[in-house]
Amino acid sequence: MAAAPTTPDFDALAVGDVVAERDVHLTRDSLVRYAGASGDFNPIHYRDDVAAAVGLPGVLAHGMLTMGLAVQPVVDWAGDPGRVADYQVRFTRPVVVAPEAGADVSVTAKVGQLDAEARAARIDLTVTFEGATVLGKAQVRVVLA
Amino acid sequence: MNPELQGRVFAPTAPYLVGREKVREFARAVFATNPVNLDVDAARAAGYDDVVAPPTFAVVVQEHTLAQLLAEPDAGIDFSRVVHGDQRFTSSRPIVAGDELTATLTVSGVKTLGAHSMVTAESVITDAAGAHVVTAISTLVVRGDD
């Protein structure tokens, strides 16, 4: 069993600190797995013909899959998903998942703001695919009290 | 889209029982590796009754309320034109396996931007005791005629 997670020290944080980074390789299998787990069976997430018919550049990752995986490095840094009090994103660009090559998504989590009274940090996520960001205003409020 | 949807409150959804294997399945699907998401002993050591769901798991329960909205006869929302604009979860506590959750949807905003319309759907999710667990807020963009 893993060692008990430690809580980051709020007082040691500064705005701009990078607290976590992670690269995730998505494949079509990842999309099918997320479809089953979430119940979102929209065929644009697994059928090339349907994606093409509605004018998309290819099969897309579920926005909620991107949102879901992007917060995980923050959860691991915080040590406990229960410390995530608020999480919001705007879906700005699709992640196209090629049938063989898949898609590589990179997440960088930085301290955006510190609330000393609540001992809470706003962690801002930069989530990129093919060099461009895919989520806007991706913010996680983590309570470290 | 029907502007009279603004402010409409829907009937609470049937209780959703959060299963341990469902939490594990969802955790793996979003690349969660934290032991409290997967391992009962680790979750208990961290003070929870059972495995803890990832922060976006509430979407599984919220989905039932969005289905209510899309099925509303006078809503005028064409599902094939719906794009997810943004999403937010505001939690009082994390969802844990064993929770029995009920969601109540309020349409908190309807607006038109050129050919497109936007609807903001706010689903308040409570546990079996009626206590607030998480509020899930989605903005759906309904694309107009191209």
Side-chain angles (χ1 to χ4, degrees), chain A residues 1-2 22 24-26 30 33-34 36-40 42 54 64-65 67-69 71-72 75-76 79-91, chain B residues 22 25-26 28-37 39 41-42 45-46 48 52-56 59-60 63 79 84-91 94 143:
Chain A
M1 208 183 107
R22 188 170 174 191
V24 177
H25 180 65
L26 293 176
S30 319
R33 185 184 283 262
Y34 185 78
S38 67
D40 181 346
N42 187 332
V54 295
M64 288 305 302
L65 169 56
M67 183 182 188
L69 69 86
V71 76
Q72 294 310 320
V75 168
D76 290 341
D80 182 341
R83 297 192 178 280
V84 174
D86 192 282
Y87 179 32
Q88 63 176 317
V89 307
R90 193 169 289 161
F91 301 103
Chain B
K22 189 69 192 178
E25 181 191 9
F26 190 90
R28 290 190 184 104
V30 295
F31 298 82
T33 50
N34 198 291
V36 301
N37 294 130
D39 183 287
D41 291 335
Y48 297 103
V52 179
T56 60
V59 71
V60 174
E63 193 66 36
F79 182 59
H84 200 170
D86 56 54
Q87 179 71 36
R88 182 170 196 169
F89 299 101
T90 304
S91 308
R143 291 177 297 132

Side-chain angles (χ1 to χ4, degrees), chain B residues 63-114:
Chain B
E63 193 66 36
H64 297 275
T65 63
L66 297 178
Q68 285 178 309
L69 173 63
L70 296 172
E72 191 77 342
D74 67 347
I77 299 174
D78 176 358
F79 182 59
S80 68
R81 291 181 173 276
V82 171
V83 178
H84 200 170
D86 56 54
Q87 179 71 36
R88 182 170 196 169
F89 299 101
T90 304
S91 308
S92 295
R93 66 163 176 89
I95 293 172
V96 173
D99 277 335
E100 204 171 277
L101 304 173
T102 300
T104 306
L105 167 68
T106 301
V107 177
S108 55
V110 177
K111 61 181 170 194
T112 303
L113 268 175

Side-chain angles (χ1 to χ4, degrees), chain A residues 8-144:
Chain A
D9 178 8
F10 179 85
D11 296 313
L13 296 177
V15 170
D17 286 356
V18 173
V19 296
E21 284 180 290
R22 188 170 174 191
D23 297 324
V24 177
H25 180 65
L26 293 176
T27 62
R28 291 289 173 87
D29 306 46
S30 319
L31 308 192
V32 172
R33 185 184 283 262
Y34 185 78
S38 67
D40 181 346
F41 291 102
N42 187 332
I44 63 164
H45 303 303
Y46 52 87
R47 277 184 54 180
D48 294 275
D49 58 333
V50 174
V54 295
L56 296 172
V59 160
L60 309 183
H62 304 74
M64 288 305 302
L65 169 56
T66 306
M67 183 182 188
L69 69 86
V71 76
Q72 294 310 320
V74 179
V75 168
D76 290 341
W77 165 74
D80 182 341
R83 297 192 178 280
V84 174
D86 192 282
Y87 179 32
Q88 63 176 317
V89 307
R90 193 169 289 161
F91 301 103
T92 53
R93 251 182 114 251
V95 174
V96 180
V97 181
E100 283 184 37
D104 290 296
V105 175
S106 298
V107 182
T108 304
K110 242 185 220 184
V111 177
Q113 202 176 66
L114 292 166
D115 176 351
E117 204 175 319
R119 297 185 74 74
R122 192 191 80 206
I123 305 299
D124 296 345
L125 304 178
T126 303
V127 183
T128 59
F129 163 67
E130 290 183 338
T133 59
V134 295
L135 299 180
K137 207 189 173 195
Q139 300 179 344
V140 194
R141 182 175 167 84
V142 181
V143 179
L144 298 171

